[in-house]
Amino acid sequence: MPIDAPAEVIANHALSTDYNVLALAAPAIAAAAAPGQFVMVKAAFGHDPLLRRPFSVFEVLRDDRGTPTGISLLNKRIGVSTDLLYAARPGQRVACLGPLGRSFTVVDPPTEGWMVAGGVGLAPFVALAEALGTRGVASTLFYGARRAEELFYLDVFRRLGVELVLTTEDGSLGERGRVVAPLERRLAARAADRPVMIYACGPEGMLAATATTAARFGRPCQVSVERIMACGLGGCYSCVVPMRHGHGGFHHVRSCIAGPVLPGDQILWE
Ligand code: FES
């Protein structure tokens, strides 16, 4: 069962003028969260904003003994709620419901884990990289953003032993262009008998390109879809995703309960 609790802001670390990492005291949610799951957060307790907003669990925070104490969220300012979370002060409380949804399936060696992140789609991958590392899985992060200043937490991934493949749209760090290009080259060069699981999170176009590319090379791909989520609990149908169903048919699933992690080759991409 998800936990619904007011969570105190422990820290708020601005990464740029648009992005911040908000640390919340939420030990029960932290203890239960699996990589790829999300929480519904409401930045204020009044009527504005009215609705909660979904956030992937970015980090599980632990004390010196390794006991989960809270979670952090990677926030990007795009509206009223995210502006409030960007400006949140330590000591303030936010409404936090979770963990929700289906997590990534964490593979075991010799399968490698290749994570593909675009922009704020980095959010589920610190937790996933930790889980892969715990199992001894070799992992790579293909991470793209508009410019170098928007590639965050690189040292954290390096410390976790993750190989980094970086791209920026302006060429200011890593390869210039889209993140799927180096992924495609790696897949083309990889021997068929060396298994790999691809995990993706980011803009819809990037997810579609990643899933399509993975399928072309016969590799499994789990994508974390971003949808408007009004309830996060399956009650409002604001979050539906069209999926293949039967012979040539399709049906809609609610990404808040069937996902947010879904098999990329089953989604009907627009
Ligand atoms: Fe309400 Fe998914 S967010 S049904």
Side-chain angles (χ1 to χ4, degrees):
M1 280 293 289
I3 297 135
D4 192 2
E8 185 176 324
V9 174
I10 307 168
N12 184 357
H13 176 49
L15 301 175
S16 70
T17 51
D18 289 328
Y19 286 86
N20 67 310
V21 173
L22 197 65
L24 301 175
I29 293 175
Q37 287 191 297
F38 66 99
V39 290
M40 295 292 289
V41 173
K42 193 161 177 284
F45 286 95
H47 291 301
D48 188 21
L50 192 58
L51 299 175
R52 298 180 190 239
R53 233 189 151 276
F55 288 89
S56 291
V57 173
F58 184 45
E59 299 159 290
V60 170
L61 310 173
R62 295 186 168 82
D63 64 15
D64 293 343
R65 292 191 293 189
T67 305
T69 56
I71 59 171
S72 73
L73 312 177
L74 178 61
N75 179 51
K76 181 183 181 186
R77 299 172 69 180
I78 54 167
V80 176
S81 291
T82 51
D83 278 352
L84 287 170
L85 293 173
Y86 186 87
R89 299 282 179 87
Q92 187 179 328
R93 282 168 185 261
V94 301
C96 188
L97 169 69
L100 296 166
R102 287 189 189 228
S103 59
F104 290 112
T105 302
V106 182
V107 294
D108 287 302
T111 302
E112 289 186 20
W114 290 6
M115 298 168 277
V116 185
V120 75
L122 182 72
F125 290 138
V126 172
L128 180 61
E130 280 180 350
L132 291 168
T134 301
R135 295 193 183 200
V137 174
S139 60
T140 302
L141 174 68
F142 300 81
Y143 181 18
R146 286 180 300 179
R147 51 184 182 267
E149 297 76 37
E150 295 184 358
L151 290 167
F152 305 118
Y153 270 55
L154 303 183
D155 285 345
V156 170
F157 284 97
R158 287 190 187 106
R159 274 202 299 278
L160 290 170
V162 178
E163 180 192 356
L164 295 177
V165 178
L166 306 176
T167 66
T168 46
E169 290 176 22
D170 67 358
S172 51
L173 188 62
E175 180 177 325
R176 180 194 292 266
R178 303 295 169 125
V179 73
V180 181
L183 171 71
E184 185 170 9
R185 289 199 305 274
R186 288 280 183 107
L187 285 169
R190 191 164 177 87
D193 63 352
R194 297 185 64 206
V196 59
M197 174 63 80
I198 295 167
Y199 304 97
C201 187
E204 186 95 353
M206 187 212 84
L207 293 185
T210 301
T212 307
T213 302
R216 190 148 45 83
F217 288 95
R219 304 295 189 168
C221 176
Q222 303 174 34
V223 302
S224 178
V225 295
E226 277 188 11
R227 282 289 183 280
I228 293 168
M229 289 186 184
C231 75
L233 294 167
C236 73
Y237 287 75
S238 64
C239 63
V240 295
V241 176
M243 305 274 291
R244 297 180 201 287
H245 188 62
H247 298 290
F250 74 97
H251 66 162
H252 284 97
V253 303
R254 286 163 286 177
S255 59
C256 65
I257 51 176
V261 177
L262 294 166
D265 63 347
Q266 297 301 304
I267 295 175
L268 287 176
W269 301 103
E270 301 288 326

